[in-house]
Amino acid sequence: MKKSLLALSAIFALVLTSCSDNDDVNEETLTGSGEISLKFDNGYNGNDLVLGTANAANANGEVITVKRFSYIISNISFINKDGEEYIYAKDDSYFIINQETEEDLIALADIPAGEYTTVKFGVGVDQEKYLQGAEGQGDFLTLAEENNMMWSWQAGYKFLNFEGTFTSETITEATEFKIHMGSHGSSLDNYKEVTLALPENVVVGDGIDSNIHLKIDASKILVGGTNSIELTEKQVIMVDAEKSPQIAVNTSEIFVVDHIHNGNGH
């Protein structure tokens, strides 16, 4: 009986300590600035995304093996608990998440101290940035070329590079698919904005660096909440006035905030 009481006391003390730690972070007067990082945890229909490994059939009956999965994240901003928006410096706000190279973390320094309730970002490169011309892209142009995220400067950026093989009921031999989605001039603008409410406020300030952990479901690129794309019907989607905008909408729906690490950095 004494051992049980001791164990319960230890657990109770641990709970109190944990609550106290959280209160210290949230109630502390926040000053200065800190870092907020965003972790993009790529998955496929509830599983980890492992390149080269076949996944279970989707709702279209297609078994997908992903061999390349990359996308552009841009124009990040945060909305605080008072409704004020902090927009990260535009010239420094273009990033590539690349499953092949395991680039999955974006670290944003010098975020003003506060508690933020919402994160916003773009998928792709907006028209304003692209129309600055090649010289206006800075180092991001080279980064995109190195990560296979451009067709050419004239054709533009690939906002999404999603490749692999698949089989279906009617296509039984492993067949290659390629989905390269982007804008094509100003006539077909596939840039999308994503707004995600956070499950708890992310806190940042002097000595407090925090992390937003996002879960990504790549299966929704094909079978999303809005559109269903069948590879059996078309295996290569690039410049496609009908399907490319549908892919853009689906891609904007693959992001979910899983949890927050306050005061723990990455």
Side-chain angles (χ1 to χ4, degrees):
M1 185 68 177
K2 290 183 178 179
K3 290 183 178 180
S4 298
L5 289 172
L6 287 171
L8 286 172
S9 299
I11 292 170
F12 186 64
L14 180 61
V15 169
L16 286 177
T17 302
S18 299
C19 293
S20 176
D21 288 344
N22 289 334
D23 290 343
D24 288 344
V25 170
N26 292 326
E27 293 178 1
E28 181 181 355
T29 301
L30 299 170
T31 59
S33 64
E35 178 183 281
I36 297 179
S37 59
L38 286 79
K39 167 80 171 179
F40 292 81
D41 188 354
N42 294 324
Y44 191 97
N45 198 24
N47 299 313
D48 291 338
L49 178 58
V50 180
L51 297 180
T53 300
N55 291 280
N58 60 26
N60 293 331
E62 297 166 341
V63 178
I64 308 293
T65 299
V66 181
K67 296 186 176 180
R68 173 171 287 166
F69 183 47
S70 307
Y71 46 91
I72 295 174
I73 297 296
S74 60
N75 297 317
I76 301 172
S77 67
F78 302 96
I79 298 175
N80 68 18
K81 64 181 183 180
D82 298 319
E84 301 164 336
E85 184 173 11
Y86 172 73
I87 301 173
Y88 200 72
K90 185 174 180 64
D91 286 344
D92 299 324
S93 198
Y94 293 84
F95 309 90
I96 294 173
I97 304 300
N98 188 334
Q99 187 72 8
E100 287 181 282
T101 60
E102 299 182 351
E103 291 291 334
D104 61 4
L105 189 73
I106 295 174
L108 306 172
D110 300 323
I111 305 297
E115 295 184 40
Y116 295 90
T117 66
T118 306
V119 60
K120 297 170 63 178
F121 55 84
V123 180
V125 176
D126 54 288
Q127 289 285 316
E128 179 184 348
K129 183 66 172 179
Y130 183 68
L131 292 175
Q132 291 178 1
E135 293 183 358
Q137 308 305 302
D139 295 336
F140 185 70
L141 181 60
T142 301
L143 183 66
E145 291 172 337
E146 292 173 347
N147 283 269
N148 297 301
M149 297 303 284
M150 290 202 74
W151 286 291
S152 66
W153 172 245
Q154 290 74 21
Y157 293 100
K158 301 173 188 175
F159 300 171
L160 168 71
N161 192 337
F162 185 49
E163 300 180 1
T165 62
F166 78 101
T167 60
S168 67
E169 290 182 2
T170 57
I171 300 178
T172 56
E173 293 290 329
T175 301
E176 287 189 352
F177 73 87
K178 289 185 178 182
I179 297 176
H180 298 170
M181 181 274 293
S183 291
H184 306 286
S186 57
S187 60
L188 185 58
D189 185 0
N190 284 322
Y191 174 80
K192 298 295 178 185
E193 292 185 341
V194 176
T195 301
L196 299 172
L198 303 178
E200 63 177 289
N201 293 355
V202 64
V203 181
V204 66
D206 283 340
I208 303 174
D209 296 334
S210 297
N211 172 265
I212 301 172
H213 191 121
L214 298 100
K215 290 280 191 179
I216 288 80
D217 185 355
S219 73
K220 292 183 178 179
I221 294 169
L222 297 174
V223 186
T226 305
N227 303 296
S228 179
I229 308 295
E230 294 189 22
L231 295 173
T232 302
E233 177 186 331
K234 189 168 186 178
Q235 293 84 53
V236 178
I237 300 173
M238 295 186 188
V239 182
D240 188 308
E242 177 187 3
K243 292 188 181 299
S244 188
Q246 292 176 350
I247 291 290
V249 171
N250 282 3
T251 302
S252 71
E253 297 173 349
I254 68 177
F255 305 94
V256 174
V257 177
D258 189 66
H259 59 272
I260 306 293
H261 293 287
N262 273 324
N264 295 323
H266 303 167

